[in-house]
Every structure is written in structure tokens, then in C-alpha cells.
Amino acid sequence: MQGAKVLVVDDSTSVRKVLEKLLSSRGLVVTTSETAEQGLEAVRQNTPHLVIADVVMPGMSGFELCQAIKMQASTKSVPVILISGIINEGVVSQAQQAGAFDVVSKPFTPDDLFPKIERALNAARQSLQAVGEAISTPSYAPIATPSS
């Protein structure tokens, strides 16, 4: 988890500050954006290992941000954790449809958040390793050449 890059996207300054403090205290490198549009731009410029985004924001929602991240080949393996004041079946199913890794309810405690962050970063690490292995491991057997 140490040194992983996390992007926090929330229109609330206080939520961004709290998350930044919590996450950086665990050795994570945190950047923040005030809107989903800024968050998407930040993801394109410097792909994070994890995105934590509020669901309800002016303009683009956290669901839409998540979908946009998942539709880009270069960022589709980045896990997104959504934060919502209301968690019900509708929110959970919309989050799943958008491709979110998990949903955390507001207000949250470090105990709510950190296990989910850890699982998301581990999942991202495993999917990157799988992609790396698929690229570096030849899928054919070397051809034996008869010695002359």
C-alpha cells in the first residue's frame, strides 16, 4: 500500500482534506480534484493506482466518472471506490454497473475505508501482474532446431 497513488474526487473541501490526511498518514501519495471532470483529466495525465470519488457532485457524477475511467483501455484496471451519503440497493447496483470496486457510506471511519482501499490496491496489483505476465510470457514453445 505504501507509495500507491490515490486520486480523491469530491466537491466538499472538508472531505478532500480529511481523506488526504488519512491516506497520506498511511504512506499513500494523494492528489485531489474538486469535480469529476477535473478528476478525469487528472487520471489521464497521471494514472493513479486507485480513485476514491463522491457519488453526488455538480456536473458529472461519481458513477459517470467511474464509467469513463472503465471505458478507457489505459485506465480500466484502476479500481474506483465510490462514497455516498445514501447506500441502498439502487446505489449499489448503479455502482456495480459503472464498474466501481466498492462503495463506502458517508460519514466513514478509517476502519470502514482502509480494508476496502487495501483490497482495491491488492486487486489492482494482481491484475497488473497478470497483464505483465501475459505480455512477458511467450504463449508458444520454443522451436527446437536440430544441431548439425
Side-chain angles (χ1 to χ4, degrees), residues 65-111:
L65 171 63
C66 183
Q67 275 177 318
I69 290 170
K70 295 298 172 185
M71 285 176 1
Q72 295 293 318
S74 59
T75 57
K76 71 175 182 219
S77 64
V78 175
V80 178
I81 294 177
L82 294 172
I83 304 170
S84 177
I86 302 163
I87 297 215
N88 56 28
E89 278 180 37
V91 170
V92 170
S93 106
Q94 245 188 305
Q96 287 171 337
Q97 285 170 357
F101 183 83
D102 214 329
V103 184
V104 176
S105 65
K106 263 193 222 180
F108 50 81
T109 67
D111 292 343

Side-chain angles (χ1 to χ4, degrees), residues 21-104:
K21 198 170 182 179
L22 269 177
L23 299 173
S24 49
S25 75
R26 297 282 177 110
L28 297 167
V29 179
V30 184
T31 48
T32 63
S33 293
E34 199 172 329
T35 67
E37 291 83 355
Q38 288 172 355
L40 201 52
E41 190 52 41
V43 167
R44 285 191 189 119
Q45 286 177 5
N46 187 6
T47 307
H49 297 104
L50 171 67
V51 174
I52 300 175
D54 190 14
V55 167
V56 181
M57 293 183 279
M60 187 190 259
S61 74
F63 295 128
E64 292 167 316
L65 171 63
C66 183
Q67 275 177 318
I69 290 170
K70 295 298 172 185
M71 285 176 1
Q72 295 293 318
S74 59
T75 57
K76 71 175 182 219
S77 64
V78 175
V80 178
I81 294 177
L82 294 172
I83 304 170
S84 177
I86 302 163
I87 297 215
N88 56 28
E89 278 180 37
V91 170
V92 170
S93 106
Q94 245 188 305
Q96 287 171 337
Q97 285 170 357
F101 183 83
D102 214 329
V103 184
V104 176

